[in-house]
Amino acid sequence: MRIAVCPGSFDPATNGHIDIIERSGLLFDKVIVAVLNNPKKQPLFSVEERVEILKKTCGAMKNVEIDSFTGLLTEYAKSKNANVIVKGLRAVSDFEYELQMALMNKKLNPEIETVFMMTSSKYSYLSSSLVKEVARLGGCIKGLVPEIIEGEIYKRFK
Ligand code: PNS
């Protein structure tokens, strides 16, 4: 059974993330979306909220599970019997850091492969931090994030 972990901060999940999760679900038997619990960061949404948002948005994807994790990603993947890490790649600018993480994860556990999936072109400019900046400044984020959180993002900046 091919189990993939799709890790990230998802603060908040964007439609770019959802697209990668959905397409991963077509390639693997099971996809575990793993929200990083990073106590060092001051997030817009709590880990519990991020998990809930993803559960609601990905509810129809039958082989997709939503979870959270702390600590090393490779340890988490191993605990879930996952042998693949799926990451989305947008622009060349993502590549250097993603390569570094992929090689470090390979060093930590050579049995786990990192697989990169190219973003859909319509989401190639999208990131959680840009969405937050646009919302904070009152710009339109329609179509960039799941509909259920559009309003909530603006509220958090009031
Ligand atoms: O959405 P993000 O913030 O780009 O996701 C980054 C994430 C969660 C994939 C990365 O920070 C991570 O894997 N963190 C877990 C800690 C870890 O394993 N670090 C060493 C790997 S290089």
Side-chain angles (χ1 to χ4, degrees):
M1 175 138 150
R2 290 266 170 235
I3 304 176
V5 171
C6 190
S9 300
F10 302 104
D11 185 41
T14 67
N15 286 343
H17 291 129
I18 305 302
D19 174 63
I20 296 286
I21 295 166
E22 196 168 19
R23 287 159 58 206
S24 300
L26 301 175
L27 291 178
F28 300 100
D29 299 311
K30 183 157 114 182
V31 175
I32 304 170
V33 180
V35 178
L36 174 67
N37 189 351
N38 184 353
K40 281 194 192 154
K41 273 197 183 171
Q42 192 56 259
L44 190 62
F45 290 93
S46 70
V47 173
E48 294 75 22
E49 288 172 324
R50 282 178 264 160
V51 165
E52 211 41 51
I53 292 162
L54 281 159
K55 278 189 178 165
K56 283 185 182 150
T57 311
C58 302
M61 305 174 197
K62 292 299 168 219
N63 59 342
V64 173
E65 262 179 43
I66 317 295
D67 194 14
S68 60
F69 77 106
T70 46
L72 282 178
L73 174 61
T74 45
E75 288 298 313
Y76 172 77
K78 193 176 162 193
S79 75
K80 294 284 170 183
N81 291 321
N83 34 27
V84 177
I85 294 169
V86 184
K87 305 294 286 291
L89 264 193
R90 288 163 301 193
V92 181
S93 50
D94 282 342
F95 181 79
E96 206 165 302
Y97 185 47
E98 290 296 343
L99 174 68
Q100 207 178 0
M101 284 198 284
L103 295 179
M104 180 59 84
N105 285 331
K106 189 79 182 164
K107 168 92 180 73
L108 291 169
N109 187 338
E111 289 176 7
I112 300 175
E113 287 294 341
T114 299
V115 167
F116 291 104
M117 192 176 283
M118 294 305 147
T119 175
S120 298
S121 54
K122 60 181 173 175
Y123 300 128
S124 60
Y125 61 95
L126 201 49
S127 71
S128 299
S129 32
L130 263 191
V131 164
K132 284 185 275 194
E133 181 169 323
V134 170
R136 183 169 56 82
L137 300 172
C140 177
I141 56 167
K142 201 168 173 47
L144 306 185
V145 294
E147 262 182 55
I148 52 163
I149 49 164
E150 254 177 49
E152 190 55 37
I153 296 175
Y154 288 112
K155 272 193 208 158
R156 305 249 160 156
F157 286 115
K158 277 205 178 128

